[in-house]
């Protein structure tokens, strides 16, 4: 069996793959393979283990060849993979849901708190030698107790955020027509959510329907002094519209774990703004979580190569 792994993943998963298939081909550079390199490397492969940095489309599947048996992504998000094209070719696609729910919800809360209490601005202030005295009006932020948190997309991660917010005595509302209530959160219409929320946290997958869901209209409906947190995908937010509302202080701040593109070029205007906090897609970046993601990705890969059902398959219709 020929296998291509597009980066060095944590040992938990890598060791498992090597135990079953000692001769797998691993891309060992820090940067992901460029498109042409990827197209070349997949040629003749039976199994592909990729990350969210690789675009896996019909062209790539055809470049690999009809022997390709499985595509396993070490991610929960699937927007980098043309799943319909894989299904049309009978190729099962695996992802890594569940194991990163808590870490990603923790990051959403960390970003919300850092933004609301101006942690990064404070750190820069101290480092640059501006801290002269305790000042009753210095870097004032927002309170959590009694504030309303609006969660857009109430799947596993959105619900885990609601669970955490309960502990801070926040009122939690959510918008997700396909979800049941949990953790005392109340289902509301999106317009009501935007009108009433002090904090808005985005937890929808990136699809054609959710691309630029957070646009000028969405942002205009948010409360003055509210905070936007995005740990889903950068493409869900129209960053030009976001820049405008942050610059004109129509909302208090935004905290982004994800951008479009990634990495965000350093000349992007969002970097000019003190009220925009950006971190490099760290939602699932805890040691244990990444170990578990690599393990699930390895298990999906191995199952696919052995002709077994993937433990986490996003297109189970290939088995019909
Ligand atoms: C991270 O963003 C993931 O999709 O796993």
């Amino acid at each position: 069996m020929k296998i291509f792994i597009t980066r060095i993943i944590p040992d938990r998963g890598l060791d498992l793959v090597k135990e079953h298939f000692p001769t797998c081909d691993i891309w060992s550079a820090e940067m992901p393979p460029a498109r042409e390199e990827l197209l070349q490397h997949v040629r003749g492969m039976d199994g592909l283990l990729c990350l969210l940095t690789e675009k896996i489309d019909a062209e790539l599947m055809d470049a690999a060849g009809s022997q390709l048996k499985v595509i396993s992504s070490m991610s929960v998000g699937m927007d980098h993979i043309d799943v319909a094209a894989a299904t049309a070719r009978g190729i099962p696609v695996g992802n890594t849901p569940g194991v990163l729910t808590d870490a990603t919800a923790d990051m959403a809360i960390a970003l919300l708190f850092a933004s609301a209490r101006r942690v990064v601005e404070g750190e820069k202030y101290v480092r640059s030698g501006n801290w002269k005295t305790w000042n009753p009006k210095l870097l004032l932020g927002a309170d959590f107790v009694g504030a309303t948190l609006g969660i857009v997309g109430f799947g596993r991660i959105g619900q885990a955020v609601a669970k955490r917010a309960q502990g801070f005595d926040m009122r939690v509302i959510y918008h997700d027509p396909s979800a049941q209530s949990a953790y005392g959160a109340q289902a509301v219409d999106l317009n009501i959510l935007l009108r009433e929320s002090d904090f808005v946290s985005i937890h929808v997958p990136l699809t054609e329907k959710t691309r630029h869901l957070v646009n000028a209209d969405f942002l205009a409906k948010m409360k003055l002094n509210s905070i936007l947190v995005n740990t889903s995908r950068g493409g869900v937010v129209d960053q030009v519209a976001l820049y405008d509302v942050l610059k004109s202080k129509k909302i208090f701040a935004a905290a982004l774990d994800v951008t479009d593109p990634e990495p965000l070029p350093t000349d992007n205007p969002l970097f000019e703004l003190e009220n925009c906090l950006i971190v490099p897609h760290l939602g699932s970046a805890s040691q244990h979580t990444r170990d578990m993601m690599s393990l699930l990705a390895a298990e999906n890969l191995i199952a696919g190569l052995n002709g077994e059902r993937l433990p986490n398959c996003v297109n189970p219709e290939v088995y019909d």
Side-chain angles (χ1 to χ4, degrees):
M1 291 281 182
K2 293 175 82 179
I3 298 162
F4 184 46
I5 304 183
T6 61
R7 214 84 60 80
I8 299 181
I9 61 170
D11 288 346
R12 266 312 269 284
L14 203 52
D15 290 349
L16 187 66
V17 177
K18 285 181 180 163
E19 229 172 77
H20 288 75
F21 304 100
T23 59
C24 52
D25 180 4
I26 304 167
W27 186 261
S28 57
E30 185 195 355
M31 296 304 287
R35 180 72 182 171
E36 280 311 310
E37 292 168 321
L38 188 59
L39 289 174
Q40 266 174 27
H41 262 79
V42 294
R43 197 151 295 149
M45 292 295 157
D46 297 287
L48 175 65
L49 194 159
C50 65
L51 308 184
L52 55 81
T53 41
E54 284 80 58
K55 186 174 164 63
I56 310 296
D57 55 8
E59 182 193 22
L60 184 132
M61 294 170 204
D62 291 340
S66 57
Q67 77 299 326
L68 184 63
K69 293 173 186 55
V70 56
I71 298 168
S72 169
S73 183
M74 192 184 124
S75 67
V76 68
M78 282 285 108
D79 48 288
H80 57 301
I81 301 183
D82 185 342
V83 177
T87 307
R89 288 161 180 75
I91 305 168
V93 178
N95 71 339
T96 62
V99 293
L100 46 67
T101 300
D102 286 326
T104 309
D106 290 345
M107 179 55 84
I109 294 288
L111 288 176
L112 172 59
F113 284 17
S115 237
R117 296 304 303 272
R118 308 179 70 170
V119 173
V120 176
E121 282 174 87
E123 202 268 352
K124 282 188 192 152
Y125 183 86
V126 170
R127 251 178 220 271
S128 55
N130 289 319
W131 187 18
K132 303 284 191 294
T133 181
W134 186 86
N135 177 337
K137 294 182 88 172
L138 179 65
L139 290 174
L140 304 185
D143 286 301
F144 305 116
V145 172
T148 297
L149 169 66
I151 299 178
V152 180
F154 206 57
R156 278 179 287 249
I157 300 172
Q159 290 180 30
V161 171
K163 182 180 175 187
R164 284 153 177 74
Q166 266 193 328
F168 291 93
D169 292 336
M170 292 188 210
R171 169 182 176 239
V172 184
I173 56 182
Y174 72 92
H175 176 70
D176 187 337
S178 62
Q180 299 287 319
S181 177
Y183 304 111
Q186 182 197 348
V188 293
D189 176 77
L190 185 59
N191 284 331
I192 295 175
L193 182 142
L194 297 175
R195 196 173 65 218
E196 296 189 1
S197 296
D198 301 292
F199 312 126
V200 175
S201 193
I202 308 294
H203 299 285
V204 292
L206 176 61
T207 64
E208 279 322 304
K209 268 175 107 174
T210 62
R211 182 171 296 282
H212 286 195
L213 168 74
V214 182
N215 57 14
D217 181 53
F218 180 112
L219 292 161
K221 288 177 182 157
M222 285 177 64
K223 268 168 105 165
L224 193 69
N225 283 332
S226 58
I227 295 177
L228 176 76
V229 176
N230 187 15
T231 51
S232 64
R233 282 293 183 269
V236 176
V237 175
D238 175 347
Q239 290 170 180
V240 175
L242 179 63
Y243 173 83
D244 289 342
V245 292
L246 288 172
K247 176 88 181 160
S248 56
K249 303 224 160 44
K250 298 254 171 56
I251 67 172
F252 183 72
L256 311 175
D257 183 40
V258 287
T259 60
D260 184 21
E262 290 181 4
L264 193 63
T266 50
D267 61 356
N268 188 286
L270 286 174
F271 287 116
E272 295 163 15
L273 304 171
E274 288 294 344
N275 57 350
C276 188
L277 173 56
I278 304 177
V279 294
H281 204 146
L282 297 175
S284 62
S286 77
Q287 190 71 57
H288 175 69
T289 298
R290 290 281 164 85
D291 281 348
M292 296 315 288
M293 288 170 72
S294 74
L295 195 58
L296 281 196
E299 287 169 354
N300 282 331
L301 179 79
I302 294 163
L305 289 166
N306 289 336
E308 292 158 9
R309 206 181 169 96
L310 311 198
N312 286 287
C313 186
V314 296
N315 56 346
E317 55 277 23
V318 291
Y319 299 116
D320 290 346

